[in-house]
Amino acid sequence: MNNILDRQQMHECDMYTINDIGIPSMVLMERAALGVFDEIRARKIDSSNTLIVCGSGNNGGDGLALARMLADEGDKVNVYITGNTSLASGEMGKQYEIIRNYNVKILDTFPESDNYTLIVDAIFGIGLSRNIEGEIFNLIRKLNDKRGFKLSIDVPSGVNSDNGKIMGTTFKAELTVTIGDYKRGCFIYPGAEFCGEIVCKKIGISNKPIEKSKTGHILTIDDLNKIPKRKVRSNKGTYGNVLIIAGSLNMCGAAILAGAAAYASGCGLVRIFTPKDNRIIIQNKLPEAVLTTYDPQYFDDRVLEKEIERADSIVIGPGLGMDVSAGKITEYVLRYATVPIIADADALNIAATNPSLLKKHNCPLIITPHFAEMARLCDTKIYNISNDILETAIKFSKENNLICLLKDANSVIAGSDGSLYVNTSGNNGLSTAGSGDVLAGILGALAVIFDDYSLCAAMGAFIHGLAGDYAVAETGERGLVSSDIVEYVKKVLKDVK
Ligand SMILES: NC(=O)C1=CN([C@@H]2O[C@H](COP(=O)(O)OP(=O)(O)OC[C@H]3O[C@@H](n4cnc5c(N)ncnc54)[C@H](O)[C@@H]3O)[C@@H](O)[C@H]2O)[C@@H](O)CC1
Ligand SMILES: Nc1ncnc2c1ncn2[C@@H]1O[C@H](COP(=O)(O)OP(=O)(O)O)[C@@H](O)[C@H]1O
Ligand SMILES: [K+]
């Protein structure tokens, strides 16, 4: 598990390391530049003709120190400094004094040449505090149009390191070498798209000041070991009874995919509550599931009550439809169930028509909206959601006392207790019908065995994405279908004891 820090947290760590521990700021800067230099060499990036564009803050200072290191080894290095060097920060000012003794050309005007092999963006890091305009706006546009490998130091200039928003415009990096700790905004879209590959260089910055505060996290492959162990002496009851309330006439595939995914993720028994027309097809496709069917015309909540009593977790919504019975079922489950609920798809669309529904729950609740569902829940336009994923998920989770897994290429998982995860597994092969149903099924199985439901949601998203990554290695992104994801969930979990 890696921490992802916001600006304030990173700043506190920097300041503590410099002022309380006593490591001079220039030493940290030297290590930062050395970290970037090492990465350039390790990847054999052609730096024979390098342009480094520096801002007037410490990010620019990192850039100047790097320029010196490359020039020292014989690379041709041009530096262009934006803004007024007399206003440069302390360390940047010192770096400017030092570099004059090296064979680095400081350009007076922005270079028109398109022959640079490497372009380094050292304009802004975590200090970016307002939208980029004017000269720097135009300069970043021109840099993006140039050929040559594009590398950003710490954060691509223009990406808000807190939330991934684009501040007017942004440099588009192929590689971001981030300093000290990962920055939260680099993993959240739209900013994530401008970071390229992200590597983190440790430079001795202490995390002591934030030990007790909540940071965001990204899961890594080692975190699969956080999935509770299976027992030698067990029976199907040990791993839980997942109730899946899904499917409507012509939409039974959603119930099948969610049920199959719950089984692939290790639950003991899947029960499916679905309209009677779906019985035969589901029994054919998923014989391991136990079915209870209902007539949508004559819905009887006593039958549902019995199902809820038996369940260890409930998945509600995939393909459920929005008719009167679906509405009654959703309301009943949210009001009376006490086991963890995963509310997806139509359960969320129903909740959007009656906003008080989500507030009435008496259980741990994970919701898994995509942008359109979230826009309905928040009564706003989709672009307001897609441009502000982080705030949307955090605010909604707190207002409704639930865990919001807001789906995107990098989904954001926010809990009302302040927990935060960003999921980085997965690929565009997962943009396929039924993919979300599979995720809901995985979460249903995990919710039985996890006590920490934010981690549970993050783990589900991580497994789902990994299954997609394993799958495309064989199917390719275009050919991936949702039933493939289920098969690869089994492979992802194969070696987890
Ligand atoms: N010893 C240190 O202090 C260390 C510094 N580090 C580097 O320092 C960076 C942070 O340095 P700073 O806090 O100086 O911040 P930055 O270098 O990111 O930028 C701050 C400067 O940009 C200006 N600015 C902000 N938004 C602007 C906009 N839209 N248009 C024009 N000007 C704008 C600010 O007024 C300020 O002068 C990190 O991202 C990292 O690269 C790291 O190397 C770690 C150690
Ligand atoms: N480009 C992508 N990269 C990573 N994950 C993706 C990508 N596209 C979709 N996904 C994941 O696939 C799932 C799609 O869910 P959803 O849109 O609800 O599908 P459906 O409604 O068809 O079941 C989400 O978990 C999402 O995070
Ligand atoms: K930068």
Side-chain angles (χ1 to χ4, degrees), residues 186-231:
C186 290
F187 295 94
I188 300 171
Y189 282 83
E193 197 162 342
F194 295 87
C195 296
E197 190 182 342
I198 303 170
V199 289
C200 181
K201 292 289 177 185
K202 291 283 174 198
I203 60 166
I205 294 175
S206 168
N207 280 350
K208 187 130 188 263
I210 55 160
E211 262 166 15
K212 292 201 174 77
S213 50
K214 285 213 177 220
T215 67
H217 295 102
I218 45 181
L219 298 187
T220 62
I221 200 87
D222 292 341
D223 292 312
L224 290 176
N225 292 319
K226 293 191 166 65
I227 298 172
K229 307 257 172 301
R230 286 175 78 89
K231 299 186 169 81

Side-chain angles (χ1 to χ4, degrees), residues 328-390:
K328 285 185 184 162
I329 293 169
T330 303
E331 181 158 5
Y332 191 91
V333 168
L334 286 171
R335 188 179 288 226
Y336 295 112
T338 52
V339 294
I341 296 179
I342 291 87
D344 182 40
D346 284 331
L348 300 177
N349 293 331
I350 289 166
T353 64
N354 180 359
S356 67
L357 261 190
L358 286 180
K359 292 197 161 70
K360 287 183 186 153
H361 65 277
N362 294 304
C363 58
L365 176 59
I366 301 173
I367 64 165
T368 54
H370 56 46
F371 289 161
E373 287 153 357
M374 196 71 206
R376 284 177 208 125
L377 283 170
C378 298
D379 193 19
T380 186
K381 298 260 186 291
I382 289 178
Y383 65 78
N384 290 331
I385 305 293
S386 63
N387 285 327
D388 202 359
I389 302 166
L390 184 80

Side-chain angles (χ1 to χ4, degrees), residues 189 257 318 344-345 368-371 373 405-411 423-439 461 464-465 469 482 485:
Y189 282 83
L257 286 167
D344 182 40
T368 54
H370 56 46
F371 289 161
E373 287 153 357
L405 191 171
L406 183 49
K407 293 188 277 202
D408 191 6
N410 283 357
S411 300
N423 183 56
T424 58
S425 64
N427 59 73
N428 62 33
L430 293 170
S431 303
T432 182
S435 178
D437 307 331
V438 175
L439 174 66
H464 179 262
D469 290 339
S482 289
I485 310 171

Side-chain angles (χ1 to χ4, degrees), residues 10-28:
M10 195 67 238
H11 188 66
E12 279 174 33
C13 293
D14 280 351
M15 288 302 110
Y16 176 80
T17 306
I18 295 164
N19 298 328
D20 294 49
I21 296 182
I23 300 182
S25 181
M26 285 295 275
V27 172
L28 293 178

